Amino acid sequence: MDGRDWGKFLLPYEQTVEELKVKFKTLRTELKKREEFSPIEFVTGRVKRISSILEKAKRLHVPMDKLETGIEDIAGIRIMCQFVEDIERVASIIREREDMILVYEKDYIANTKESGYRSYHMIVEYPVQTGLGMKRVLAEIQIRTLAMNFWATIEHSLNYKYRESLPKELRIRLKKAAEAAFKLDEEMSSIREEIIRAQQLFEDRSNL
Amino acid sequence: MDGRDWGKFLLPYEQTVEELKVKFKTLRTELKKREEFSPIEFVTGRVKRISSILEKAKRLHVPMDKLETGIEDIAGIRIMCQFVEDIERVASIIREREDMILVYEKDYIANTKESGYRSYHMIVEYPVQTGLGMKRVLAEIQIRTLAMNFWATIEHSLNYKYRESLPKELRIRLKKAAEAAFKLDEEMSSIREEIIRAQQLFEDRSNL
Amino acid sequence: MDGRDWGKFLLPYEQTVEELKVKFKTLRTELKKREEFSPIEFVTGRVKRISSILEKAKRLHVPMDKLETGIEDIAGIRIMCQFVEDIERVASIIREREDMILVYEKDYIANTKESGYRSYHMIVEYPVQTGLGMKRVLAEIQIRTLAMNFWATIEHSLNYKYRESLPKELRIRLKKAAEAAFKLDEEMSSIREEIIRAQQLFEDRSNL
Amino acid sequence: MDGRDWGKFLLPYEQTVEELKVKFKTLRTELKKREEFSPIEFVTGRVKRISSILEKAKRLHVPMDKLETGIEDIAGIRIMCQFVEDIERVASIIREREDMILVYEKDYIANTKESGYRSYHMIVEYPVQTGLGMKRVLAEIQIRTLAMNFWATIEHSLNYKYRESLPKELRIRLKKAAEAAFKLDEEMSSIREEIIRAQQLFEDRSNL
């Protein structure tokens, strides 16, 4: 660690995570009330640990005085959806918000990572009011289905345990699990279509 | 609804759910500290809605003055696990607790329901201290993996929507999704075995 | 009640209360970290009940289509301080924030109400992002000491119980309690000054 | 610190605090529903910090292997009441509970401490289910009015700051504040009596 006061450095990020969690949780409530369905199942958030910030800075060659712009996920929000189709809906809502600015997006669902990782990432700039005035911080919003999240949680803890040297057998198993998670999402999507079709059939009949 | 004061009738159940949630959440924390791994991923709880209690009483022919013994899941706790193997571990911990008495168990994992439903249920008797003295109430503890829970959530909301008359196409789709969830759990289990094998290999080498 | 969908009408106010609570709670944490003392002891918030909104609209002759501008405390935040001196500090921080606009202030501490009520009120305009775009809502922030709050809580529940017709004996007692609360605040202020004096004395000696 | 694993030592105390907080919070809800008034205003809890445990052990000459019986407030619960009269009501409820055993009581309200400290303390033995079986731990329950709590909070932070050597001027000021807090409680009690008298008068008239 360098000599900086990390407690103070992380303050605006902690505040950003708290504010964004509340904002997406109330969005969930609002959509349930307005449309009787919310594409958001639940929301979590975390501030990156100091050791992980330092590690990532080293790996990406980010100088220590450029952490605020070089590491984009010090503040991280995760939004879980029931269906793959809900992810685009959530992304489009975020794109139109006026209380944060979209910086860029990364689509790891259309472009699944080699490891099997799937998720939709949005980097936003969020203005946060601190005791020293207004400050703009970067935050990463990850949007994924429950099955994607389930798989990613396992992968994360394995990578954490084995670092670079994940045994080959485990890597293969992990990929098979990713395929099973993908299959589960596909089945859920087909249920979703079936539900919509059943509803339309029902409405058509009512209109006769 | 009958003339009873439902607010007061539900009080000991609400208290039971709050106390059991705290107990299983602190158990999670304790196991993480003692064994560096917890078979419990997260815990939720709910008191059954009055309308659902009445519906179930009617379906099971439980007389209105026998609700406390006839409906076993007025207080409900759900414990989510990462791996199928963790479920038995949690069940065996519950069997040995002295602060609740096991009444009986239902294993819907060995005996998957026709619909595709998988879960491990334990009915316990829990002594709860009320303003009117000690009271023993029944509670149902459901133990399941994240994939089982994911599937069951969808099934529950579909059944809620369509009641008995779930369209055949949807029922087939739901079963396919259950198979995909089962497949995901199997892949996760094989990862778990691989992890244990990798660790033993590592330890054997260290001992040479 | 009029025919409006109150659930939807109150949504932006509920959201405002949640966001402001988080903002003032993290401000408390931030000030503790930056200055080792926070003028904020704790923060609460509430949305006004529909019956109270209707009653106030009637009393102040606010037309039903002007509720959003005519009733300023539908969203209400309360900030509790340890010392009377902290109140001005909190007010000056709020005046300088860029994420809300101060509309006006009411100083019921310099101008104690006839009943004995003391508190500092700030009406702010807060921009809240809803599913239908950005919306500006009014919120009332009440800043008070613990003793002021303690007294006000009692007065509120008595007024709620007796409406206009608070018995004369109770009104006199309430005023005496307000004086005792005022006396307690004065004693606390003198302790605060004593603490500052003791610290200066200590520092002077260290500099010899 | 001695060589023990403090994280594990404190586990049953953390669990006790969590369980007791839930139990007294639901008691509050229950009394509000059953009697339309709760003598409990709010409940807090904390586990004593390791440094404070060690300091107290030294001060009271408690050997390090007797901490569990020698330090009675490692698990601490605080129950705040609106009126002095509510304290005895809460104490009598605790005496009759079957889920904890009263060890002894200390009445610092009848016997105010030299410093001005007032509070009602109950030491209880609480059976807590751990991963290693059932364990009986001691817990201290402090019952006090909001004014007593307000004063005690200030005194605690001053003692923490100045240790034994609280300047004489501050000690005198603190005592005056204790008297103001006492006066406030007395005024509140007289309001309480007035409320009860007003209600009886009202009922007597209704019966004519």
Side-chain angles (χ1 to χ4, degrees):
Chain A
M1 305 206 188
D2 67 350
R4 89 178 63 196
D5 183 336
W6 282 94
K8 282 178 191 160
F9 174 80
L10 291 178
L11 273 173
Y13 295 98
E14 286 161 4
Q15 201 176 329
T16 297
V17 167
E18 288 312 306
E19 294 189 16
L20 290 181
K21 271 201 300 184
V22 160
K23 285 181 178 228
F24 288 113
K25 281 177 183 177
T26 55
L27 176 61
R28 179 178 185 272
T29 313
E30 187 192 353
L31 291 169
K32 282 219 156 175
K33 278 211 186 135
R34 278 203 211 285
E35 312 179 6
E36 297 192 8
F37 172 78
S38 166
I40 296 174
E41 190 68 13
F42 66 95
V43 179
T44 64
R46 65 100 190 90
V47 172
K48 211 177 182 70
R49 277 180 305 171
I50 300 171
S51 60
S52 304
I53 295 173
L54 293 176
E55 213 173 281
K56 191 165 188 175
K58 205 176 163 188
R59 203 173 66 240
L60 304 184
H61 306 292
V62 176
M64 289 304 282
D65 58 338
K66 293 277 188 300
L67 293 181
E68 297 180 22
T69 49
I71 312 286
E72 296 161 336
D73 65 344
I74 299 179
I77 293 290
R78 196 167 286 163
I79 297 176
M80 259 64 69
C81 305
Q82 214 170 19
F83 300 106
V84 180
E85 289 76 8
D86 300 333
I87 293 173
E88 173 49 30
R89 174 79 208 284
V90 173
S92 83
I93 290 174
I94 291 173
R95 277 180 215 118
E96 274 163 40
R97 289 185 76 106
E98 293 172 51
D99 56 350
M100 58 193 76
I101 297 164
L102 178 64
V103 182
Y104 71 95
E105 316 186 16
K106 287 184 281 189
D107 183 352
Y108 295 126
I109 296 171
N111 313 297
T112 308
K113 277 196 186 176
E114 173 60 24
S115 61
Y117 180 82
R118 292 181 304 140
S119 215
Y120 199 90
H121 293 196
M122 301 179 91
I123 309 295
V124 299
E125 194 185 274
Y126 182 74
V128 71
Q129 178 76 42
T130 76
L132 309 173
M134 195 61 108
K135 190 176 166 65
R136 301 181 166 279
V137 305
L138 293 178
E140 183 182 81
I141 304 171
Q142 300 180 344
I143 318 171
R144 38 170 88 160
T145 62
L146 292 167
M148 292 175 192
N149 184 51
F150 180 24
W151 181 88
T153 307
I154 304 283
E155 195 222 8
H156 183 80
S157 56
L158 286 179
N159 275 336
Y160 187 79
K161 194 181 176 104
Y162 292 95
R163 304 282 152 153
E164 270 99 285
S165 57
L166 194 63
K168 200 189 154 198
E169 262 305 295
L170 258 179
R171 210 158 46 225
I172 294 170
R173 286 291 179 196
L174 207 46
K175 211 139 183 205
K176 280 197 176 163
E179 280 155 26
F182 179 69
K183 179 85 184 138
L184 181 51
D185 272 336
E186 274 193 333
E187 294 297 343
M188 298 311 286
S189 286
S190 73
I191 287 180
R192 186 173 172 275
E193 275 163 41
E194 209 61 57
I195 293 171
I196 292 168
R197 204 171 306 150
Q199 281 175 327
Q200 285 169 336
L201 199 70
F202 183 77
E203 279 172 33
D204 287 355
R205 276 186 195 148
S206 312
N207 292 337
L208 286 185
Chain B
M1 304 207 189
D2 67 352
R4 88 179 62 194
D5 183 337
W6 282 95
K8 283 180 191 159
F9 174 79
L10 291 178
L11 274 173
Y13 296 98
E14 286 161 3
Q15 201 175 327
T16 296
V17 167
E18 286 313 307
E19 294 188 17
L20 290 181
K21 271 201 299 186
V22 160
K23 286 182 178 227
F24 288 114
K25 281 177 181 177
T26 55
L27 175 62
R28 179 179 186 271
T29 312
E30 188 193 351
L31 291 169
K32 281 218 157 176
K33 277 214 187 133
R34 276 200 214 287
E35 311 178 5
E36 295 192 10
F37 172 78
S38 166
I40 297 174
E41 191 67 14
F42 65 96
V43 179
T44 64
R46 65 100 189 88
V47 171
K48 209 177 185 70
R49 278 179 306 171
I50 299 171
S51 60
S52 305
I53 294 173
L54 293 175
E55 213 173 279
K56 192 165 188 175
K58 204 175 163 189
R59 202 171 69 241
L60 303 184
H61 306 292
V62 176
M64 288 305 280
D65 57 339
K66 293 277 187 301
L67 292 182
E68 297 180 23
T69 49
I71 311 288
E72 297 161 335
D73 66 344
I74 298 179
I77 292 291
R78 198 167 284 162
I79 297 175
M80 258 64 70
C81 306
Q82 215 170 17
F83 300 105
V84 180
E85 289 75 8
D86 299 333
I87 293 174
E88 173 50 30
R89 175 79 209 285
V90 173
S92 83
I93 291 175
I94 291 174
R95 277 180 215 118
E96 274 163 40
R97 290 185 76 106
E98 293 172 52
D99 56 350
M100 58 193 77
I101 297 164
L102 178 64
V103 182
Y104 70 93
E105 316 187 14
K106 286 184 282 189
D107 183 351
Y108 294 126
I109 295 172
N111 313 297
T112 308
K113 278 196 187 177
E114 173 61 26
S115 62
Y117 180 81
R118 290 182 306 140
S119 215
Y120 199 91
H121 292 195
M122 301 178 90
I123 309 295
V124 299
E125 195 186 275
Y126 182 72
V128 70
Q129 178 77 42
T130 76
L132 309 174
M134 194 60 108
K135 190 175 164 65
R136 299 181 168 280
V137 305
L138 293 178
E140 184 182 82
I141 304 171
Q142 300 180 343
I143 318 170
R144 36 169 89 161
T145 63
L146 292 166
M148 293 175 193
N149 185 51
F150 181 23
W151 181 88
T153 307
I154 304 284
E155 195 221 10
H156 183 81
S157 56
L158 286 178
N159 275 336
Y160 188 78
K161 194 180 176 108
Y162 291 97
R163 304 277 150 159
E164 270 99 288
S165 57
L166 192 64
K168 199 189 155 197
E169 262 305 294
L170 258 179
R171 210 156 48 223
I172 293 169
R173 285 289 180 200
L174 206 46
K175 211 141 180 204
K176 279 197 177 164
E179 281 156 25
F182 179 69
K183 179 84 184 139
L184 181 51
D185 272 336
E186 274 192 334
E187 293 296 344
M188 299 310 285
S189 285
S190 73
I191 286 180
R192 186 173 172 275
E193 275 163 40
E194 209 61 56
I195 292 170
I196 292 168
R197 204 171 308 149
Q199 281 175 327
Q200 285 169 335
L201 199 70
F202 183 76
E203 279 172 34
D204 286 355
R205 275 185 196 149
S206 312
N207 292 337
L208 287 184
Chain C
M1 303 205 190
D2 69 351
R4 90 179 61 197
D5 182 337
W6 282 95
K8 282 179 191 160
F9 174 79
L10 291 179
L11 273 173
Y13 295 99
E14 286 160 3
Q15 201 175 328
T16 297
V17 167
E18 287 313 307
E19 293 189 16
L20 290 182
K21 270 200 300 184
V22 160
K23 286 184 177 225
F24 288 114
K25 281 176 183 179
T26 55
L27 176 61
R28 178 178 186 273
T29 313
E30 188 193 352
L31 291 170
K32 281 217 158 178
K33 277 214 187 131
R34 276 202 214 286
E35 310 178 8
E36 295 191 10
F37 172 79
S38 166
I40 297 174
E41 191 68 12
F42 66 95
V43 179
T44 64
R46 65 98 189 91
V47 172
K48 210 178 182 70
R49 278 180 305 171
I50 300 171
S51 60
S52 304
I53 295 174
L54 294 175
E55 212 173 281
K56 191 165 187 173
K58 206 175 162 189
R59 202 173 67 240
L60 303 184
H61 306 291
V62 175
M64 288 305 281
D65 58 340
K66 292 278 188 298
L67 292 182
E68 296 180 23
T69 48
I71 312 286
E72 297 161 336
D73 66 343
I74 298 178
I77 292 291
R78 197 167 286 161
I79 297 176
M80 259 64 69
C81 306
Q82 214 170 17
F83 300 106
V84 180
E85 289 76 8
D86 299 333
I87 293 174
E88 173 49 30
R89 174 80 208 283
V90 174
S92 82
I93 290 175
I94 291 173
R95 276 179 215 119
E96 274 164 41
R97 290 184 76 105
E98 292 172 52
D99 56 349
M100 58 192 77
I101 296 164
L102 177 64
V103 182
Y104 70 94
E105 316 187 15
K106 287 184 281 190
D107 183 351
Y108 294 127
I109 294 171
N111 313 297
T112 308
K113 278 195 185 178
E114 173 61 24
S115 63
Y117 181 82
R118 292 181 305 139
S119 216
Y120 199 91
H121 293 196
M122 302 179 89
I123 309 295
V124 299
E125 195 185 273
Y126 183 73
V128 71
Q129 178 76 42
T130 76
L132 309 173
M134 194 60 109
K135 190 175 165 65
R136 301 183 165 278
V137 305
L138 293 178
E140 183 182 82
I141 304 171
Q142 300 180 344
I143 319 170
R144 38 169 88 159
T145 62
L146 292 167
M148 292 176 193
N149 185 51
F150 181 24
W151 182 87
T153 307
I154 303 282
E155 194 220 10
H156 183 80
S157 55
L158 286 179
N159 275 336
Y160 187 77
K161 192 178 178 110
Y162 292 97
R163 304 280 150 159
E164 271 97 285
S165 57
L166 193 64
K168 199 189 155 197
E169 261 305 293
L170 258 180
R171 211 158 45 226
I172 293 169
R173 286 290 179 197
L174 207 46
K175 209 134 183 210
K176 280 197 176 164
E179 280 156 25
F182 179 68
K183 179 82 183 140
L184 180 51
D185 272 336
E186 275 193 333
E187 293 297 343
M188 299 310 287
S189 286
S190 73
I191 287 180
R192 187 175 172 274
E193 275 163 41
E194 209 60 55
I195 293 170
I196 293 169
R197 204 171 307 151
Q199 282 175 325
Q200 285 170 335
L201 199 69
F202 182 76
E203 279 172 33
D204 286 355
R205 275 186 197 151
S206 311
N207 293 337
L208 287 184
Chain D
M1 304 205 190
D2 67 352
R4 87 178 64 196
D5 182 336
W6 282 95
K8 284 180 191 159
F9 175 79
L10 292 179
L11 274 173
Y13 295 99
E14 286 161 2
Q15 201 175 327
T16 296
V17 167
E18 286 313 306
E19 294 189 17
L20 290 182
K21 271 200 298 186
V22 161
K23 286 182 177 226
F24 288 113
K25 282 177 182 178
T26 55
L27 175 62
R28 178 178 186 272
T29 312
E30 187 193 350
L31 290 170
K32 282 218 158 175
K33 277 213 187 134
R34 276 202 213 284
E35 312 179 5
E36 296 192 10
F37 172 77
S38 166
I40 296 174
E41 192 67 14
F42 66 96
V43 178
T44 63
R46 66 98 189 89
V47 172
K48 209 177 184 70
R49 279 179 305 173
I50 300 170
S51 60
S52 305
I53 295 172
L54 293 176
E55 213 172 282
K56 190 164 188 175
K58 204 175 162 188
R59 204 173 66 240
L60 304 185
H61 305 291
V62 176
M64 289 305 281
D65 58 339
K66 294 276 188 300
L67 292 182
E68 297 181 22
T69 48
I71 312 287
E72 297 161 335
D73 65 344
I74 298 179
I77 292 291
R78 198 167 286 164
I79 297 176
M80 259 63 71
C81 305
Q82 215 170 17
F83 300 106
V84 179
E85 289 76 8
D86 299 333
I87 293 174
E88 173 50 29
R89 175 79 208 286
V90 174
S92 82
I93 290 174
I94 291 173
R95 277 180 214 120
E96 274 163 40
R97 290 184 77 106
E98 293 172 50
D99 56 351
M100 58 192 77
I101 296 165
L102 178 64
V103 182
Y104 71 93
E105 316 187 15
K106 286 185 281 189
D107 183 351
Y108 294 126
I109 295 171
N111 314 296
T112 308
K113 277 195 187 178
E114 173 61 25
S115 62
Y117 180 81
R118 291 182 305 138
S119 214
Y120 199 91
H121 292 195
M122 301 178 91
I123 308 296
V124 298
E125 194 185 274
Y126 182 73
V128 71
Q129 178 77 42
T130 76
L132 308 174
M134 195 61 109
K135 191 176 165 63
R136 303 184 163 278
V137 303
L138 293 178
E140 184 182 81
I141 304 171
Q142 301 180 342
I143 318 170
R144 37 170 88 159
T145 63
L146 293 166
M148 293 176 193
N149 185 50
F150 182 24
W151 182 87
T153 308
I154 304 283
E155 195 222 10
H156 182 80
S157 55
L158 285 180
N159 275 335
Y160 188 78
K161 194 180 176 105
Y162 290 96
R163 303 282 152 154
E164 271 99 284
S165 57
L166 193 64
K168 200 188 155 197
E169 260 307 292
L170 258 178
R171 211 157 46 223
I172 293 169
R173 285 291 179 198
L174 206 46
K175 210 138 183 207
K176 279 197 176 163
E179 280 155 26
F182 180 69
K183 178 86 183 137
L184 182 51
D185 272 337
E186 274 192 334
E187 293 297 342
M188 299 310 286
S189 286
S190 72
I191 287 179
R192 187 174 172 274
E193 276 164 39
E194 208 61 56
I195 292 170
I196 292 169
R197 206 171 306 151
Q199 282 175 326
Q200 285 170 336
L201 199 70
F202 183 76
E203 279 172 34
D204 287 354
R205 274 184 197 149
S206 312
N207 291 339
L208 287 184

